[in-house]
Amino acid sequence: PALVNRIDRNTAGIIIAAKNAEALRILNEKLKQRELHKLYLCVVIGTPKQKEGILKDYLQKNEKQNKVYVSSHKTDDSKEIATKYKVLSSKNGLSLIEIELLTGRTHQIRASFSHLGNPLLGDGKYGTNAQNKQFGGYKKQFLYSYKLAFDFETDAGILNYLNGKSFEVEDVWFKKAFYDGEI
């Protein structure tokens, strides 16, 4: 068994694992070809100006700080990132957002929304503790990998049975609380 993808340490949710080398090879290829769709839910502070869109920016990694920086301009050591999002609901100064990663870079979601001016609730690294304190002082980031969909455009061999299927976590730990106005 081997992991196909990973999620940040403070993020909860679905990860993909392969049971054998052939499945790992196929899943890695499907991920690279964007025939696997990973969706996330998050709560951000404020509301993005546009209710949906694709954030296209450049990410630069700082290994010493274990942090990334997002810029609208390309540099020699930056990598292009793309994050598709849709605001599902906004209330009480917060927004519940669905995200699809079009590229998968370290801390991409967290850094992108901070760059946009809407850091994730509970994220002390890319947001601020002062902002988090205004909304209850959460120290756990509100980010969850909640859905995985298989949309194969090419043969998947032993994994063809997955084509068209999706897996979704219905009980995301913060979703009901958001809709009920508890956060």
Side-chain angles (χ1 to χ4, degrees), residues 33-81:
Q33 297 302 320
R34 297 195 176 120
E35 295 178 37
L36 296 178
H37 303 282
K38 300 180 297 179
L39 287 97
Y40 294 75
L41 285 179
C42 71
V43 174
V44 301
I45 297 171
T47 303
K49 290 183 178 96
Q50 295 181 341
K51 298 295 183 193
E52 60 184 274
I54 298 176
L55 303 175
K56 291 186 177 182
D57 290 298
Y58 297 92
L59 184 138
Q60 184 177 0
K61 197 171 187 178
N62 183 316
E63 296 285 350
K64 288 182 181 178
Q65 294 178 339
N66 188 29
K67 196 169 180 179
V68 299
Y69 296 91
V70 174
S71 171
S72 302
H73 308 287
K74 183 168 179 48
T75 63
D76 289 341
D77 55 350
S78 66
K79 294 183 178 180
E80 188 174 4
I81 57 173

Side-chain angles (χ1 to χ4, degrees), residues 3 22 30 35 49-50 60 74 79 85-86 90 103 105 108 111 118 125 130 146 151 157 163 170:
L3 292 177
E22 184 179 1
K30 297 302 179 189
E35 295 178 37
K49 290 183 178 96
Q50 295 181 341
Q60 184 177 0
K74 183 168 179 48
K79 294 183 178 180
Y85 75 95
K86 180 178 181 181
S90 294
T103 57
R105 309 269 186 226
Q108 178 177 324
N118 303 104
K125 182 173 269 197
Y146 89 106
D151 184 22
N163 196 21
E170 296 290 335

